[in-house]
Amino acid sequence: MAEERETIERFWAACDKGEWDVFAGLLAEDVIYRAPKSRERVRGREAVVRFNREFPGDWHLAVEDLVAGEGRAVSRIRFEMVGETGTDTGISFFTFTEDGLISEIEDYWPDPYERPASRAHLSELY
Amino acid sequence: MAEERETIERFWAACDKGEWDVFAGLLAEDVIYRAPKSRERVRGREAVVRFNREFPGDWHLAVEDLVAGEGRAVSRIRFEMVGETGTDTGISFFTFTEDGLISEIEDYWPDPYERPASRAHLSELY
């Protein structure tokens, strides 16, 4: 368990700092990245490093939550474009090889939305 | 680990089938539900049961992924309104009491989006 948690902490720290050799070292050779809601896919270590290294903009991220166990992990990050107001939330599901390398990454980016009037009586707003 | 996984499987099965006594039995008395992107909050077992029991529409759900460990769990569900086309994706982060009851639920509902042109050279579409 601790190992998967540590790998994901190192993954995001390397991504934020642009330490691409460290980042690459955590990925399986045939790692697959998917963003199911935009139907984006990136295949293989080199392409996944490039996707992150060349991801447009001047950005930073910080891990807000991390759940790890049973050869899996899920993180929630705060993603910030320098000079823009507001931040995005990224949720990533990770799968690992038996050697502890990352073999699958699945990303979700939930946006803010208005509570529908139909359930206004069931919750409070904060 | 196995215990948290089993609790969340029972939680969603009870929610889908409308077995509200079973559902309530998995929640701590002072459970808190939050949907950070709509800023909805529901406090206490009775109110959380009601939020789900009276959630508008004729709906069903199925668990698509579940990661559990270290007193936490994250699930991804497919949520379907009967008679409507398409399904929604719900991602929920769970925290547990020492007794294994659910003490916090945090929900995210990511929508589909178009891949920005600025990263079209970095990924393929599927």
Side-chain angles (χ1 to χ4, degrees), chain A residues 1-2 5 34-43 47 50-51 54-56 65-70 72-76 87-89 91 93 106 108-116 118-119 121-126, chain B residues 1-2 5 34-43 47 50-51 54-56 65-70 72-76 87-89 91 93 106 108-116 118-119 121-126:
Chain A
M1 307 307 127
R5 167 175 296 278
R34 280 187 220 91
K37 293 300 177 183
S38 59
R39 304 193 69 76
E40 279 168 280
R41 184 172 55 197
V42 183
R43 293 189 274 193
R50 186 168 168 245
F51 180 78
E54 300 184 15
F55 197 91
D65 200 0
L66 179 49
V67 175
E70 302 172 335
R72 302 288 309 281
V74 183
S75 64
R76 196 182 75 238
T87 61
D88 286 326
T89 298
I91 298 171
F93 288 73
E106 209 169 79
Y108 294 88
W109 294 88
D111 282 322
Y113 58 95
E114 289 254 335
R115 174 180 65 178
S118 59
R119 61 175 188 260
H121 62 299
L122 297 173
S123 64
E124 56 184 343
L125 296 180
Y126 68 94
Chain B
M1 309 307 129
R5 167 175 296 277
R34 279 187 221 91
K37 292 301 178 184
S38 60
R39 304 194 68 76
E40 281 169 278
R41 184 173 54 198
V42 183
R43 292 189 276 192
R50 186 168 168 244
F51 180 79
E54 300 185 15
F55 197 91
D65 200 0
L66 179 49
V67 175
E70 303 171 335
R72 302 289 308 280
V74 182
S75 63
R76 197 182 76 238
T87 60
D88 286 325
T89 298
I91 298 171
F93 288 72
E106 209 168 79
Y108 295 87
W109 295 87
D111 282 322
Y113 58 95
E114 289 254 336
R115 174 180 65 176
S118 59
R119 63 176 186 258
H121 62 298
L122 297 173
S123 65
E124 56 183 343
L125 296 180
Y126 68 93

